[in-house]
């Protein structure tokens, strides 16, 4: 639970117009071996205005198929309209 809050806090700091990766978040919150856990935490986010999970991409810059609102297609829509 506390680890998840660290993840949410970090994602809230991603500036408008920027993206980061699951691996970068994993390193930033102190556990660079768990980017998969970051994916699982962020795919549960319901309020993308409060926690902009759409600004998190894979390490190779691809959109996430685990995005909560429509997978890659949904993430692309959010990035285009709400980056």
């Amino acid at each position: 639970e506390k680890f998840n809050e660290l993840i949410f806090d970090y994602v809230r700091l991603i500036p408008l117009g920027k993206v980061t990766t699951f691996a970068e978040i994993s390193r930033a919150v102190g556990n660079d071996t768990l980017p998969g856990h970051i994916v699982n935490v962020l795919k549960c986010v319901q309020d993308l205005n409060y926690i902009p999970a759409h600004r998190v991409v894979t390490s190779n810059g691809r959109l996430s198929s685990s995005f909560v609102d429509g997978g890659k297609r949904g993430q692309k829509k959010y990035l285009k309209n709400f980056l």
Side-chain angles (χ1 to χ4, degrees), residues 14-20 52-57 75 79 82-83:
I14 303 169
L16 190 65
K18 301 290 183 185
V19 296
T20 193
H54 59 285
R55 296 183 189 152
V56 185
V57 297
Q75 187 176 16
L79 285 171
F82 306 105
L83 186 62

Side-chain angles (χ1 to χ4, degrees), residues 11-60:
V11 172
R12 283 187 205 103
L13 296 175
I14 303 169
L16 190 65
K18 301 290 183 185
V19 296
T20 193
T21 67
F22 296 107
E24 176 59 34
I25 295 169
S26 187
R27 283 190 294 275
V29 298
N31 194 336
D32 63 353
T33 62
L34 291 177
H37 179 73
I38 309 301
V39 173
N40 289 331
V41 170
L42 293 181
K43 73 181 181 184
C44 298
V45 170
Q46 297 297 312
D47 186 352
L48 296 169
N49 292 312
Y50 185 59
I51 301 171
H54 59 285
R55 296 183 189 152
V56 185
V57 297
T58 66
S59 293
N60 58 9

